[in-house]
């Protein structure tokens, strides 16, 4: 056995046993405001971003991953209040998670992946794509259907070359209007799979002259062809270093693996989804009571050393420059069960054009939801348009028949800074001469359930793929230019 392999096995063992013993829990309270103090503590891990979800019994839940000592502390802190802390059912806690593929099921890119929408009803995919398979799967699409790949300019901290791919609208990059990315947060397993299998379905159905079926939701061949013709750019694995690490350690790793700000344990890595150039320097732009990101390297929301300091962020941004007519963007995350639309830094408002993220008069005031000190400007026509596509997508996801999804403004009750969706929409105002992009975050799957069971993994593919279809069809209907 080689030394490096021995070392990596020792590393894996110590991680599983030790430093990241996080337990999924959820808080329950009569209002989402009850969670504000908890959410403002940037040492707690709220998953992709903290979102309070309404429950059927009129309460609200907030999901988190906490250590036993954090759970004990909060249990004591909130004793005798109407905020309660709950653990998942024993059945859920004991459920086996979907395996990661071993080897390369696409044989070095000579075999194309086949999605669930073009397979017989009830078919399943047996494991999650490993990092090598994600690129091999895309190569399989290249060799089978003529998808084109594009190497991105920056190498990751661990030296990986990143790629995006584009399909449907020929060689002219100004004909591409839809952009989807996945795999930003390493532990959100199945994100790249959802995207790759959907692209595979579009190509297979287009070629065969057939439609697509996701559970109870069906699409015609004409719809498939129109979605492809919109021109799709996809960046299926934004965080390969993080995913490589997460898949080998099972440590619920979220960030990238940059050691510039910290070289051990949780201090490694930057949260790519707090690193984008949108109100990145949150200490300056936000009300001091808010924690839209963190300056602490050991936090799950560590914002990095500068706006777009990370190669993954730079590569993500480079795609807008390569494809200047991208009009619609979706970042695929888990796990919550919603689609989030602009803005994420504060409440939306449609009346005051000067109350906006570029206006320094509002520095130090952004973030608190429900107050009038600051709300983010969004033209009413844009708000209508972005809601239209979000609603279409969640309706399609519900129509699959698996579970319910909701749409929500990204801010929910708690702001974020430096996120990919806000960055995409902000470009139009922050940079001259660029296209307006409507940006979304999809959070598939069940709350904080980053490692789905095999059944859930397959359901997530069906749900998201129908969501992508109706999101794209709504985008076409609203307009691509
Ligand atoms: Zn996420």
């Amino acid at each position: 056995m080689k030394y490096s392999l021995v070392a990596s096995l020792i590393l894996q063992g110590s991680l599983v046993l030790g430093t990241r013993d996080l337990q999924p829990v959820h808080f329950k309270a009569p209002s989402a405001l009850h969670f504000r103090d908890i959410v403002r503590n940037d040492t707690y891990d709220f998953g992709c971003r903290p979102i309070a979800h309404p429950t059927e019994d009129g309460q609200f839940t907030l999901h988190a991953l906490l250590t036993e000592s954090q759970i004990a502390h909060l249990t004591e802190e909130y004793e005798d209040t109407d905020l309660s802390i709950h653990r998942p059912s024993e059945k859920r806690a004991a459920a086996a998670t979907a395996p990661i593929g071993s080897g390369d099921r696409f044989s070095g890119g000579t075999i194309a992946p086949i999605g669930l929408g073009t397979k017989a009803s009830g078919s399943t995919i047996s494991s999650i794509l490993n990092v090598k398979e994600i690129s091999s799967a895309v190569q399989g699409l290249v060799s089978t259907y003529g998808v084109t790949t594009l190497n991105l300019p920056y190498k990751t901290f661990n030296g990986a070359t990143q790629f995006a791919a584009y399909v449907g609208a020929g060689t002219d990059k100004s004909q591409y209007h839809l952009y989807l990315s996945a795999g930003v947060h390493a532990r959100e397993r199945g994100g790249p799979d959802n995207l790759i299998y959907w692209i595979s379905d579009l190509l297979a159905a287009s070629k065969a002259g057939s439609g697509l079926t996701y559970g109870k939701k069906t699409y015609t061949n004409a719809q498939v062809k129109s979605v492809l013709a919109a021109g799709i750019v996809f960046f299926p694995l934004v965080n390969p270093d993080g995913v490589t690490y997460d898949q080998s350690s099972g440590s619920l790793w979220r960030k990238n693996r940059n050691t510039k700000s910290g070289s051990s344990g949780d201090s490694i890595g930057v949260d790519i989804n707090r690193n984008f150039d949108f109100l990145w320097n949150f200490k300056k732009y936000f009300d001091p009571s808010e924690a839209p990101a963190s300056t602490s390297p050991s936090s799950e929301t560590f914002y990095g050393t500068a706006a777009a300091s990370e190669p993954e962020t730079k590569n993500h941004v480079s795609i807008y420059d390569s494809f200047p007519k991208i009009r619609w963007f979706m970042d695929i995350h888990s796990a919550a069960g919603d689609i989030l639309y602009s803005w994420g830094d504060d409440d939306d408002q449609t009346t005051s054009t000067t109350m906006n993220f570029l206006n320094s008069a509002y520095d130090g005031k952004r973030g608190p939801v429900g107050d009038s000190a600051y709300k983010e400007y969004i033209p009413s026509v844009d708000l209508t348009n972005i809601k239209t596509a979000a609603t279409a997508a969640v309706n399609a996801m519900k129509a699959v028949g698996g579970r319910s999804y909701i749409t929500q403004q990204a801010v929910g009750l708690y702001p974020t800074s430096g996120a990919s969706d806000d960055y995409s929409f902000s470009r139009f105002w922050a940079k001259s001469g660029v296209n307006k992009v409507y940006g979304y975050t999809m959070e598939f799957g069940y709350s904080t359930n980053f490692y789905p069971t095999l059944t859930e993994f397959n359901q997530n593919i069906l749900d998201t793929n129908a969501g992508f279809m109706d999101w794209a069809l709504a985008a076409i209907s609203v307009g691509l230019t």
Side-chain angles (χ1 to χ4, degrees):
M1 196 180 273
K2 284 181 184 167
Y3 167 76
S4 60
L5 183 55
V6 176
S8 81
L9 286 173
I10 292 167
L11 189 65
Q12 281 180 36
S14 67
L15 273 161
V16 171
L17 295 173
T19 55
R20 290 180 55 79
D21 192 14
L22 297 169
Q23 306 297 323
V25 298
H26 67 272
F27 304 97
K28 201 165 179 183
S31 89
L33 290 168
H34 282 71
F35 307 136
R36 285 184 94 150
D37 288 343
I38 295 176
V39 165
R40 284 169 172 161
N41 182 325
D42 69 359
T43 65
Y44 300 148
D45 180 348
F46 297 102
C48 197
R49 61 174 98 190
I51 298 270
H53 278 141
T55 64
E56 282 176 0
D57 57 1
Q59 303 255 314
F60 287 83
T61 57
L62 170 73
H63 286 256
L65 291 163
L66 300 178
T67 63
E68 287 296 345
S69 69
Q70 288 172 333
I71 294 169
H73 167 75
L74 286 167
T75 302
E76 197 182 313
E77 178 112 351
Y78 286 94
E79 201 178 9
D80 303 323
T81 71
D82 44 12
L83 188 154
S84 52
I85 304 177
H86 307 263
R87 293 173 191 266
S89 67
E90 277 177 38
K91 190 177 161 203
R92 170 75 234 168
T97 60
I100 308 291
S102 56
D104 176 7
R105 75 195 83 175
F106 311 109
S107 293
T110 57
I111 300 168
I114 302 170
L116 292 180
T118 45
K119 282 186 175 171
S121 170
S123 300
T124 56
I125 289 163
S126 62
S127 61
I128 293 170
L129 300 172
N130 64 45
V131 170
K132 184 180 173 191
E133 285 179 321
I134 290 169
S135 87
S136 177
V138 175
Q139 282 307 314
L141 297 176
V142 170
S143 58
T144 307
Y145 300 107
V147 168
T148 311
T149 55
L150 176 73
N151 278 342
L152 302 174
Y154 302 92
K155 284 201 159 106
T156 67
F157 182 79
N158 285 340
T161 297
Q162 301 206 265
F163 69 93
Y166 54 106
V167 64
T171 55
D172 180 354
K173 293 197 181 76
S174 69
Q175 297 302 309
Y176 285 78
H177 304 297
L178 308 178
Y179 173 24
L180 298 97
S181 61
V184 169
H185 287 147
R187 64 194 178 188
E188 297 172 9
R189 291 184 178 176
D193 309 61
N194 295 332
L195 181 49
I196 287 169
Y197 287 118
W198 178 57
I199 300 288
S200 308
D201 272 342
L202 291 172
L203 290 164
S206 176
K207 191 174 181 180
S210 65
L212 295 171
T213 303
Y214 298 113
K216 294 176 185 158
K217 185 78 185 153
T218 61
Y219 298 92
T220 65
N221 181 255
Q223 289 175 313
V224 167
K225 285 200 153 67
S226 92
V227 169
L228 275 171
I232 303 170
V233 184
F234 61 106
F235 185 5
L237 181 55
V238 176
N239 182 9
D241 295 353
V243 171
T244 299
Y245 182 72
D246 180 73
Q247 291 192 346
S248 66
S249 66
S251 59
L252 289 167
W253 193 257
R254 166 189 173 107
K255 301 183 284 183
N256 71 9
R257 297 292 298 166
N258 187 346
T259 61
K260 183 177 176 187
S261 301
S263 56
S264 68
D266 289 352
S267 71
I268 295 171
V270 171
D271 183 356
I272 298 165
N273 209 29
R274 296 294 182 280
N275 187 241
F276 283 82
D277 187 9
F278 174 75
L279 299 174
W280 175 83
N281 185 8
F282 68 92
K283 292 280 186 193
K284 174 181 172 188
Y285 296 120
F286 282 77
D287 184 287
S289 69
E290 297 290 349
S294 177
T295 58
S296 167
S298 60
S299 169
E300 294 290 1
T301 56
F302 176 50
Y303 72 161
T305 48
S309 58
E310 304 309 292
E312 298 88 349
T313 316
K314 289 191 177 92
N315 282 333
H316 202 291
V317 169
S318 78
I319 289 172
Y320 294 108
D321 300 327
S322 297
F323 299 89
K325 296 298 178 186
I326 287 171
R327 187 73 176 79
W328 300 78
F329 165 66
M330 182 173 282
D331 203 10
I332 302 160
H333 288 254
S334 72
D338 54 44
I339 291 182
L340 307 177
Y341 59 84
S342 305
W343 293 95
D345 63 315
D346 207 317
D347 293 311
D348 287 342
Q349 56 88 11
T350 58
T351 51
S352 173
T353 58
T354 56
M355 191 188 275
N356 66 58
F357 68 94
L358 294 170
N359 189 342
S360 59
Y362 297 100
D363 288 357
K365 294 180 178 169
R366 298 180 182 88
V369 169
D371 72 345
S372 56
Y374 184 81
K375 293 174 192 290
E376 190 62 57
Y377 175 64
I378 180 168
S380 60
V381 62
D382 291 329
L383 185 56
T384 301
N385 288 343
I386 60 170
K387 281 185 174 177
T388 295
T391 303
V394 299
N395 286 345
M397 297 170 90
K398 285 189 266 196
V400 170
R403 61 160 295 187
S404 181
Y405 278 79
I406 60 168
T407 63
Q408 212 172 90
Q409 193 197 323
V411 75
L413 274 173
Y414 326 108
T416 46
S417 55
S420 65
D421 49 1
D422 280 334
Y423 171 74
S424 69
F425 190 43
S426 73
R427 281 171 58 88
F428 175 73
W429 289 278
K431 285 170 81 94
S432 65
V434 302
N435 216 28
K436 187 184 280 180
V437 180
Y438 292 150
Y440 298 81
T441 297
M442 175 189 280
E443 299 181 311
F444 66 85
Y446 291 89
S447 294
T448 53
N449 187 9
F450 298 116
Y451 295 174
T453 66
L454 198 55
T455 302
E456 291 164 346
F457 168 66
N458 280 276
Q459 186 65 48
N460 290 340
I461 295 173
L462 297 173
D463 292 348
T464 58
N465 285 201
F468 301 153
M469 281 302 291
D470 265 77
W471 174 75
L473 290 165
I476 292 162
S477 167
V478 170
L480 296 176
T481 56

